[in-house]
Amino acid sequence: MTVRVLVVDDQEIVRTALRLVIDRREGLSVVGEAGDGEQAVAQAVALRPDVVLMDVRMPGTTGVEATGRIVREWPGPGPVPRVLVLTTFDLDEYVHAALRAGAVGFLLKNSRPEQLAEALRAAAAGEPVLAPTVARRLIDTVTALPPALLPTAPAPGPADVMLTEREVQVLVLVARGLSNARIAADLGLSEAAVKSRVNRILTRLGLENRVQAALYAHRAGLA
């Protein structure tokens, strides 16, 4: 199925460039554009895209505010669009604010076209997407918290006892912020096989999500 994308950015030249990049990728299609947060909310409701590619810093209603309104006030019918934040700025406050508002991922504008296409597909599938540099800083921020504030997760043990060699390889790549599609390409597996292994990793380690998996890998010295 084609992933339908709404592009939001206050610069027309950026929207045009993004449309060219996205429309040239198989299985992706830009269905609309918006130049600010207010337009983004209105277009999301009118067009029902699968993914909203959202800029952060815009005049008036910001990308973070628009993300919160789309995710939390979605009128339906149909599923809530996934919001993938795309920005020049990788400041921690933007990352945290966007994720708290309900964005499924955070990507930088210096990402390669292939990375953007991969991230859009992953976001449409409900997978969290973080630029590798952002994922690294987010993990460092969380692991620096006092123990009482850390997310609940088992203490890391010998990975080779609980996981197969291939599952350890997948876990390391999850900790680097790679999507299932990128992991599949790196390891020569199908996306379905990677998704299955990620689910097994979470089950075997008693974890709830990929963020906890990344933290586990970090604590175990794998990442």
Side-chain angles (χ1 to χ4, degrees):
M1 293 180 61
T2 299
V3 175
R4 303 170 69 254
V5 182
L6 170 64
V7 174
V8 183
D9 196 286
D10 63 334
Q11 298 183 47
E12 183 177 358
I13 190 170
V14 173
R15 297 198 305 272
T16 300
L18 289 171
R19 176 183 283 273
L20 288 173
V21 169
I22 294 169
D23 281 342
R24 288 177 179 175
R25 264 56 190 183
E26 183 178 357
L28 299 176
S29 175
V30 174
V31 296
E33 300 178 12
D36 58 43
E38 285 294 333
Q39 291 180 15
V41 175
Q43 288 288 73
V45 173
L47 299 173
R48 300 294 197 271
D50 300 303
V51 179
V52 178
L53 188 60
M54 183 78 75
D55 190 18
V56 172
R57 296 183 64 175
M58 296 181 290
T61 301
T62 67
V64 171
E65 293 169 332
T67 296
R69 287 173 56 184
I70 291 171
V71 173
R72 296 170 187 163
E73 302 174 14
W74 184 247
V80 180
R82 314 285 186 177
V83 179
L84 177 62
V85 171
L86 180 69
T87 182
T88 307
F89 308 94
D90 62 345
L91 300 179
D92 289 343
E93 55 264 35
Y94 292 139
V95 177
H96 298 164
L99 296 178
R100 284 197 303 267
V104 299
F106 195 98
L107 206 61
L108 301 180
K109 286 183 178 177
N110 62 2
S111 301
R112 299 189 306 274
E114 294 77 12
Q115 289 177 312
L116 173 59
E118 180 184 305
L120 288 169
R121 296 188 186 100
E127 295 180 27
V129 179
L130 287 177
T133 56
V134 174
R136 175 74 274 161
R137 285 216 317 275
L138 187 60
I139 291 172
D140 289 343
T141 298
V142 174
T143 53
L145 293 172
L149 297 181
L150 287 173
T152 302
D160 56 348
V161 173
M162 291 173 281
L163 304 176
T164 66
E165 180 179 354
R166 181 63 89 184
E167 287 168 350
V168 171
Q169 293 173 341
V170 171
L171 176 60
V172 169
L173 296 181
V174 167
R176 292 178 184 170
L178 273 62
S179 69
N180 285 353
R182 178 64 185 277
I183 295 172
D186 284 4
L187 298 182
L189 301 170
S190 68
E191 286 190 53
V194 172
K195 184 175 182 179
S196 175
R197 282 180 167 84
V198 170
N199 288 335
R200 284 206 301 270
I201 289 168
L202 297 179
T203 299
R204 289 185 179 182
L205 299 181
L207 305 173
E208 296 181 2
N209 52 51
R210 294 167 80 101
V211 173
Q212 285 194 358
L215 290 172
Y216 182 99
H218 178 83
R219 293 171 180 171
L222 297 174

